[in-house]
Amino acid sequence: METRLLLTDDDSLRYAAGLLKEGKVVGIPTETVYGLGANALDVDAVGDIFKAKGRPQDNPLIVHISDISELEALVEDIPPLARKCAESFWPGPLTMIFKKKPIIPDTTSGGLDTVGIRMPSNKYARQIIKFAGVPIAAPSANLSGSPSPTTAMHVFKDMNGRIPAIVDGGMSAVDVESTVISFEGDSIRILRPGFISKEDLAEITDNVVIDKGVLEQLSPDTVVRSPGMKYRHYSPSADVTIIDADAEHFRGYVKEHGDSDTVCLVFNDSDCDETGLRYINYGSDSKQQAQRLFDALRELDEIGAKTAYARCPEKTGVGLAVYNRLLRAAGFQVIKL
Ligand code: TXA
Ligand code: MG
């Protein structure tokens, strides 16, 4: 199969929507990362997403809508807290978990009786969904286990020959995946941190909890609330270790342990001064780090790093999302100095 790159004029978006209506899988831009979209209500189409990605069948997909009016047909009930979150954060990088209506196939929800719904802010994504006239299931458009794609070329690299088309909407703006939350009584539980932070959600209710799976490695037999958390993710070939230390202690550590196959992931060019080591600067604040992390992880592979030492991100705001992704890339190896 030849994979076509499509532009974002109306005709191209209609063409992409037509493919989706026919049950095909299409790479689509969103403000977070590129998604691998298919008709969420079509079991065969959704099955093809799992095949193209090599994704485990029990890992549920997020269903994307173009307008809040599409929500009620898909979910059993909408808690008042969810309405408030939708008002504040939709369209945008927030996925909310609801009890699903039977119209959502079990294949889409990974066998769960719940479904994650998100209304993206990317205008091309919403236009495609509107033209298709069906909700669109879309995981990140990478092969399972690789970093999430933030450009159409990243998608092409992983999906060439596996899907008929990719819509090239330019670079993603946010570059970490959406925040995933569920509701329990009057509390919000963060299952996956993202651009919408704990602090943002605290504006809606005082009662925001971070699920254990966000910061800890769960043992294989744990019943997890968000199945995505139990799989190995975002793993470059290099053996990555997070160094939780200030610049001076970081420098001291990598000077002692690094060699010519080592690459450091740093906040500032000066972090590796006088160590003689190669480094990738992934930004000095959390927003930049969120934008650059996946690229930095891909670059580690491109330049053939064998070991990597990463400076530890902040654990607040968007930083929590960066830390959560980096922890998985590092297989939870953290050295605190
Ligand atoms: O920003 C995003 O969310 C991107 C773009 C394409 O929208 N999508 C994305 O999808 O990151 P994916 O499939 O790579 O990650 C979905 C995450 C997984 O961790 C999954 O376990 C969780 O959301 N999830 C989906 N449905 C769920 C449900 N019903 N209950 C709990 N967790 C769910
Ligand atoms: Mg993913």
Side-chain angles (χ1 to χ4, degrees), residues 53 55 140 142 148 177 192 233-234:
K53 250 186 98 84
R55 181 180 179 108
S140 50
N142 51 286
S148 291
E177 306 90 337
R192 179 177 73 179
H233 265 176
Y234 321 115

Side-chain angles (χ1 to χ4, degrees), residues 1-23:
M1 179 189 314
E2 197 189 332
T3 302
R4 281 183 63 185
L5 280 171
L6 301 176
L7 301 173
T8 49
D9 56 282
D10 255 26
D11 283 348
S12 301
L13 299 183
R14 277 185 203 282
Y15 178 76
L19 290 173
L20 290 166
K21 256 195 272 189
E22 282 170 27

Side-chain angles (χ1 to χ4, degrees), residues 278-292:
R278 290 185 291 171
Y279 64 86
I280 298 167
N281 184 330
Y282 81 110
S284 54
D285 66 56
S286 297
K287 269 193 189 160
Q288 285 179 358
Q289 290 164 9
Q291 281 168 347
R292 295 192 201 157

